[in-house]
Each structure stands twice: as C-alpha cells, then as structure tokens.
Amino acid sequence: MTGLRFGLALAASVLALGVAQAQTPKKGGTVHVVVQPEPPMLMQGLNQNGPTNMVAGNIYESLLRYDEKLNPQPSLAKSWEISPDAKVYTFKLQEGVTWHDGKPFTADDVVFTLDKFLREVHPRWRPIVNAQVETIEKVDDLTVKITLKQPFGPLIMTQEVASAPMIPKHIYDGTDYRANPANNTPIGTGPFKLKEWKKGSYIHLVKNENYWLKGKPNLDEIYWQIIPDAAARAVAYETGKVDVLTGGSVDVYDVARLSKLPNTCMTTKGWEMFAPHAWLTPNVRNGILGNKQFRQGLMYAIDREFGREVVWGGLGKLPTGPISSKTKFYSADVPKYAFDPAKAKELIKASGYKGETIRLLNLPYGETWTRWTEAIKQNLEDVGVKVQVENTDVPGWTQKASNWDFDLNFNFLYQLGDPAMGVARSYITSNIAKGNPFANVGGYSNPEVDKLFAEAAIAPTDKERQDLYTKVQKLLADELPVLWLLEMDFPTIYRCNVKNLVTTGIGVDDGFRDAWKE
Amino acid sequence: MNLAQFLAGRLAKGIVVLFAIAVLNFFLIRAAPGDPAQVLAGEAGAADEQLLIQLRERFGLDQPLLTQLWVYLKGYLTFDLGFSYRQQQTVLSLILDRLPATLLLTGAAFLVSLGLGTLMGALAARRAGRWQDSVITTLALVFYATPLFWVALMSQIVFSLKLGLVPNVGYESIGANYTGLARALDIASHLVLPALTLGLFFTALYARMMRASMLEVAGADFVKTARAKGLSPGVISRRHVARNAILPVVTLAGLQAGQLVGGAVLTETVFAWPGIGRLMFDALVQRDYSVLLGVFFISSAMVVGFNILTDIVYRLADPRIEAVS
C-alpha cells in the first residue's frame, strides 16, 4: 500500500512538472504583492499568522508540499517511505541544500526542528509530536526516521511549511528561541531571501542564487506592499502599483469588479489545505442553547444561501457538516438543513424557548462579517428569536471567545488538510479549554464523538478512517454543536502575465518558487 | 516676570502633566479587553495554554500590574521607552523610524493649511459680502464638513485612478530605487494627496477664524483712525488689521502643531503612509502596550511643547502680551 502511495505521489509530481514546463518560464522580473496586515515577524517557526505565512513561505521550506488534491509532494524531502505497519516514516532529504548563510542543510536540522524547536514553540506541532511520536532520529546526513507510538495517518499531512518549517540548528540550538536576534533576519532554505523590511511600507525579497532546485526561482524580486485600507488596495491594483491581491485582501464587492479588468485573472484555488470553514458557535452551557431542537431550529431559520450569494458575493459553497468538501474524508451522507422558517418556528417552539435574548458576537474582521451578522439577526428575529448583536475589536473578540463570554459566536477555522488536525479540535471534550478562541469554545461534549474522532485519527487505513469520519459527520450534523454556514473562498486576483502563481493546495503561502512573469 | 522664569514654570508644570498622562495611559489601555499574547495567538489561528504562557512571560505580563507600572515608569525616567516583543525592536527605534514620514506629512499639511487658510480668510474679509467672500466661505464649509476618509478615497479615485496624475498610496515608488532629486520628486508626488486631504479641515478652520477675526478688528477704533489719517486699504489691512487678527489663528496653529505627531491616523491608513499614526493604530489593535504607550507619550510631549511655544509666539505677534502664567 505504501509503496503504491509513494509511486503515485511521484507520478503526480512528474505530471505536475510536465504541465508547468509546457510553456517555458521567462527568467527575471519583479512582482508586487499585497500583504495585509503587516506581519509581526517573518520567523515562521515562531509565528504562523496569515500574513507571516504568505511572506515567509518564500524564505522557509518544509519536508513536503501538497498538490491541489492534497497529495504529498517532494520539497526538502526528496522521497519518503511509510513502513507496512504505518508506524515508521523515513524521509530522504534533497542533496546539496544550503541555508541562506551558506551552511549545509542536513538531517540534524530536521531532527532539531521537529524534535526540539517546534515541540517547544509550535501550538499545532506540539500536541502531535507529544501524543503520537515515539522518536525522531537521524539515520545519516540525508535520512530522517520518525517512529510513531501508533499509526497516525495525518502525520503525512503535517509537513506543510507553516506547520513545520525547517529551522537552522546552527543558529537556534541552545539559545532562547523567542529572544534570538536572528528572528529579525530569517535564515531559511527557500527560493527567496529577505533583503529589506521597511516597516509600514514593504518587505523586499530577492532571489536565492544558490537555491537547491536548479533553475529556480524564475523571478528576481518580490515586493510585499503593506497597504492598510481595502479600497486603497483595489485602487493600487488598478493603477498598476501591485500585481497580486492575495486572498481576502479586497472587499467582497470589489472582487467581481476587479476580476473583469483587462489582463486580470482570478482563482479560488490554493486554499485546499486550509479550506476555511465558517460557522456560528452556540454556547451550549447557556440555557436554551444547550437544547438540540433549538439549535436545529436556528439552522433552519438561517438563510445560508442568501449569506453566500449576497453577503459573500456568490463565493464559496454551503457546507453540510464539520468536514469541508474540499478535503479528504468528507461525507455528504448527513442530515441536511434547507432554509425553512416554518419548520424553524416549530422546532424553536418545541424546544421550550421563552423569548430569552440571545447575544450574537460579531467577528470584527471587516464590513462583510458585520453584514452577515445583520442578515442572520434578521433571519433569527423572523422566527421569533430575540437577538442582541455585540460588537468589539479583534482583541475584545478574542477575549470574549476564549473566555466563553457569548451566546452565539462567529468563527472560521482552517481544516489543515486532515480532520484530526483541523476539525476534531472544535468538537472534542479534551479541547474545552479557556484562553484559546480556536478550542472547543461552545463547550459541546459527547463521549461518542470523542471516541469516534480519537479512533479515526489513529485508524491504520484510510478506509477505516473514512468509515469513522462518515459516522461522526452524521452524528454531528444531527447534534449541531456548531451551525456551519460557509465553506469560504478567498480569491486571489492577479495579472494574467504572472504565471504559475498558485500551483499547490497551499497556494501563495507555498511561495513564488515556480512563478514567473511574462 | 521674565521669559526664563516663565519658561521654567511652564516646563515644571509640563513635566507633572506628562507624568500624570503616562500613569493614566498605562491604566487606560489595560482597561481594554484582551492582551498582546492573546492577540498573537488569535491571529495565528491556533493556540494552546503553553503558547499563551510563553508569550505572556515574554511580554512581561506574568508580573503583577504594579510591578509592570514600575518597570515602565522607571524606563521612562532613563529615557528608555521599552521594547516591543511583537516587533522585536525597541520602541524608540520603531518611533524614530516612522517619525520622518509623519513629520513630512503633517508638516506639509500644516504649512498648506496655515498658508492657504489665512490667505483665504483675509481675502474673504476684505471682500466681505461680495461674491469672492461667498465662494471662499462656501468652500471652507465644504472642506470643514466633508468626512476625511471620503475625501481620501475620492481623491484616490479621481486623481490617481481616473486622471493618473499622482500615485494613490505609499511614501515612494517601491522598487524604483530613485536617488537624489528624482527620489525627492517621487516622494513629493506621493505626498500631494495625503497632505492636501489632511490639510483640508484645518484650512477651513483657519479661513473661517481669520475672516471672523479680521472683520471684528476692522471695526475697531484704531482702524478708523488709520483710515482717517489717509492710509491705503492695503496697508491698513496688512499692518493694522491682519496683525491684530492673527492671534486666534496662532492659538489654532498651536493646537494643530500639537497634533503633528499623533493626529494623522486616518490619513496615514488610507494612503498607506508609513508614519506614527499607523504605528499607533496597529499597536492599538494588537494591544502592543509598550509601543502604544511610547507613541502616546511622544504625542503628549509634543502637545505640551507646542503649548509653550504658542505662548512665546503670542509675545512675538503682539508684544503687549506679558508672559504671565
């Protein structure tokens, strides 16, 4: 099975390479890209904010990349093998890779990164390595072996660049990571190097002349421009100041208009790994919200298609359950909720709702969310539910969400390529923890759900995992611990003469390695 | 009271005021929900207890509040504005990095609005009741009443997008690597829209203030005397009326000058101008306490400083004013 999987991956990558080279890339050129907000830092091991990932994905690299179907592809790992018992992963590294400071990249760096550095600082890798991994060993300079405590299928999905960027051991080992002065001058193995960061204006990356993949990158320079106002970003694109508007950087109502401009392309691809899933979290500790019938009533009351069509400008897709249809293990075999106010009224009445005011916490991420909040308030009031909208700024929202201070709360979370990493966290009992807005903040707890997620994570084959995930999706869609609203699309708008911009399931975050300018 | 005594007194008061502001700021921003560690974790889309503990320790937030206050005040006494762990830089270097851009923008806006505003006001007063007056007062009203962000965006759409005259955002052409005069011209072209937008409101204020003040002075007895002894209207207007009418404008200019550092948040945001206003706004939404306190402190020091300066300018404009405080 594993041999076959590897063979397929290789074949797919060869195929991808063939397609990419159908048109000979031109060398040289500069691309101007929008990044917003300004990243706090570019040291990707210590910070995984959206904007950090966008820029730092050019500087750092990980063992693997993932295509649009989320199949692993070689990156710093040339090849990999999974033992028949699915417990030992052996990664063969690329030869001749050097860090930006000229030092060689070896298995020591990989072991340091995965076993020490990220285990200490990375909130996503830490739980995986602590719970699943037995040892991470260097076999020789170019071979690393990861031995698991038990089979853990998602491991092969964890080596994406923001989740596991390779960190230079010679710079960080034995230092206080967060205080290391090198954090301001990131050293990676990636196709581009940091030249200058003019705070408040731009980040300038230049080609890594010694990049290990011969002939790459094609571009000479990338400028990431920091333009705080969304409307000004749109004008900057129209006047030619920038070539690429990354996902979410312009208002939804500008997307359609900008996409129609001459020499302009738009794609919603490149988000398959993250597959942002938006929902409303009911705080099930709060009275009537703990009642399943009431939650189902709310789901029938919300005109989700209106939200998609009008508020989000027709972008995205209606979800059916906790797992995005863009990722693996999705199942459509679940109870569905069409927009049906009459049925909603019935269920809400049957739930014993007595007209309590429900506090709806708006997500302060801009106009679109505010409109969505208003639309949903309207939907709920139409079926007799009293709603009071609460507004705050981002830190205020983070605090309220983390401390469970809401009745209904908007949120959107990344799926991270596998339900064990991006999905289970919102529903399992062990993740009910204050202080984290992305934990199970609604407080839903169901031993059966816990068991299904736990078993699915470590089931040895994909078939067994699929069966368990199918069950849990069916169960959750009935119970509605959260009200799924939208599989979000973040369109990337760019000039058509920028080629090969989005080639993987991580999109722009995977860097401009293959991009070129006509 | 001589000038030296006056200055010493004002400075001493200023220091007390600054200290009070510093303490007040500290508690004010703590009253806002959330903290920098939570914000960082929230932005990353993933967090666990350990990450928050690590970050809070790094930010010094695990210390008792009074200890934090003491560390902050002690730093200020030694001219150390602190360190931003979010940006991995000292607050002073962050501020100094952004200061030139802000001073260029607000300074340009200051000069434009002061010059244009007083001129418009003086002209309107001399032509009071005629069509020139109507045009100017109407314009001033429009400048005064139009929201800044609307002017900012509309000017981008009209002058950058439709007419292609000047760039819409930024401080200079990124990646163009101009030097010398070419660079100065490039920066100037980027400066046009934000400086005009920012200056518009104060232009209106100066114009209205100058006009009203000149009309008031024009009716005074000494102006009648001047007219009676046969001076030309131009001389009366310049030497007698304008000089006496300028005091309220000086007051207003003092106010505007006090805002040179902190008053351009909106303009800097819409025009992507890399100044202090944006540094402050970003620090606010990120709860980057040390940066926020640093900017607050520098801006309050500017206000206090310009108040003292305004008092001195009063004496120059009108020697009859004694520096009594």
Side-chain angles (χ1 to χ4, degrees), chain A residues 257-277:
Chain A
R257 184 175 65 82
L258 293 173
S259 304
K260 287 193 199 93
L261 293 174
N263 185 27
T264 296
C265 292
M266 190 271 263
T267 178
T268 55
K269 287 185 175 173
W271 286 87
E272 292 80 5
M273 172 66 90
F274 303 126
H277 218 55

Side-chain angles (χ1 to χ4, degrees), chain A residues 49 120 126 176 435-436, chain B residues 43 47-48 52 54 58 278:
Chain A
N49 288 8
E120 188 178 325
R126 178 164 42 226
D176 177 355
N436 175 6
Chain B
E43 288 168 339
D48 59 5
L52 287 171
Q54 285 172 351
R58 179 61 61 205
R278 264 175 64 202

Side-chain angles (χ1 to χ4, degrees), chain A residues 160-369:
Chain A
E160 171 264 331
V161 64
S163 305
M166 288 299 134
I167 307 299
K169 181 180 180 189
H170 64 279
I171 293 176
Y172 283 93
D173 199 14
T175 68
D176 177 355
Y177 304 149
R178 288 187 195 280
N180 194 317
N183 293 339
N184 284 328
T185 50
I187 299 286
T189 59
F192 292 90
K193 303 196 277 191
L194 175 66
K195 171 90 184 289
E196 187 193 13
W197 183 352
K198 191 107 180 67
K199 290 270 166 91
S201 288
Y202 61 86
I203 299 167
H204 182 193
L205 303 182
V206 292
K207 177 178 182 169
N208 173 8
E209 298 288 351
N210 301 315
Y211 188 54
W212 57 269
L213 191 58
K214 295 299 163 227
K216 294 279 174 71
N218 302 307
L219 295 169
D220 286 337
E221 299 174 287
I222 310 170
Y223 283 97
W224 295 86
Q225 297 202 16
I226 298 142
I227 305 172
D229 185 77
R233 286 196 284 272
V235 177
Y237 178 81
E238 287 182 81
T239 56
K241 260 197 172 248
V242 294
D243 307 308
V244 181
L245 295 165
T246 47
S249 60
V250 288
D251 283 318
V252 164
Y253 43 83
D254 267 340
V255 171
R257 184 175 65 82
L258 293 173
S259 304
K260 287 193 199 93
L261 293 174
N263 185 27
T264 296
C265 292
M266 190 271 263
T267 178
T268 55
K269 287 185 175 173
W271 286 87
E272 292 80 5
M273 172 66 90
F274 303 126
H277 218 55
W279 63 69
L280 268 177
T281 312
N283 193 338
V284 301
R285 307 167 189 86
N286 292 3
I288 191 73
L289 289 159
N291 184 306
K292 180 171 104 179
Q293 272 180 319
F294 184 72
R295 297 198 297 269
Q296 287 176 337
L298 296 184
M299 195 64 151
Y300 280 116
I302 297 171
D303 190 350
R304 299 187 295 164
E305 181 52 30
F306 174 86
R308 193 192 75 84
E309 193 55 46
V310 177
V311 179
W312 290 97
L315 292 165
K317 195 177 153 187
L318 293 194
T320 55
I323 297 179
S324 167
S325 65
K326 286 179 190 160
T327 66
K328 286 183 195 167
F329 306 115
Y330 167 75
S331 158
D333 176 23
V334 293
K336 307 235 167 55
Y337 300 86
F339 174 52
D340 188 346
K343 196 157 183 186
K345 273 186 196 158
E346 219 172 89
L347 281 161
I348 287 168
K349 198 174 164 212
S351 73
Y353 173 67
K354 293 193 187 57
E356 302 94 307
T357 303
I358 305 289
R359 293 175 303 148
L360 175 58
L361 184 58
N362 179 26
L363 190 63
Y365 284 1
E367 268 302 295
T368 315
W369 289 90

Side-chain angles (χ1 to χ4, degrees), chain A residues 32 37-41 46-50 119-124 126-127 130 176-181 183-184 198-202 221 223 225-229 231-233 235-236 238-239 241 257 365 392-396 398-399 402-403 413 425 433-438, chain B residues 32-35 38-52 54-56 58 83 85-89 94 97-98 153 156-157 160-162 164 166-177 183 190 268-275 278 282 284-287:
Chain A
H32 292 264
E38 185 163 20
M41 59 159 71
L46 292 172
N47 189 286
Q48 296 88 36
N49 288 8
R119 188 197 289 270
E120 188 178 325
V121 299
H122 201 300
R124 291 209 302 260
R126 178 164 42 226
N130 287 341
D176 177 355
Y177 304 149
R178 288 187 195 280
N180 194 317
N183 293 339
N184 284 328
K198 191 107 180 67
K199 290 270 166 91
S201 288
Y202 61 86
E221 299 174 287
Y223 283 97
Q225 297 202 16
I226 298 142
I227 305 172
D229 185 77
R233 286 196 284 272
V235 177
E238 287 182 81
T239 56
K241 260 197 172 248
R257 184 175 65 82
Y365 284 1
T392 169
D393 66 351
V394 175
T398 311
Q399 191 176 51
S402 320
N403 294 340
L413 265 78
R425 56 180 174 164
K434 270 201 184 177
N436 175 6
F438 307 104
Chain B
D35 69 40
Q38 223 167 29
V39 171
L40 262 180
E43 288 168 339
D48 59 5
E49 195 60 41
Q50 200 177 337
L51 178 76
L52 287 171
Q54 285 172 351
L55 289 174
R56 291 213 170 101
R58 179 61 61 205
F83 190 80
Y85 282 101
R86 189 184 162 96
Q87 307 216 35
Q88 307 260 322
Q89 254 184 15
L94 280 170
D97 246 16
R98 302 292 190 94
L153 282 176
Q156 286 188 26
I157 289 172
S160 301
L161 189 58
K162 299 289 177 209
V166 281
N168 77 313
V169 285
Y171 177 75
E172 55 188 318
S173 296
I174 292 170
N177 295 322
R183 177 155 187 251
H190 282 82
E268 287 183 2
T269 302
V270 181
F271 289 101
W273 193 262
R278 264 175 64 202
D282 288 346
L284 177 71
V285 293
Q286 294 152 355
R287 300 289 190 267

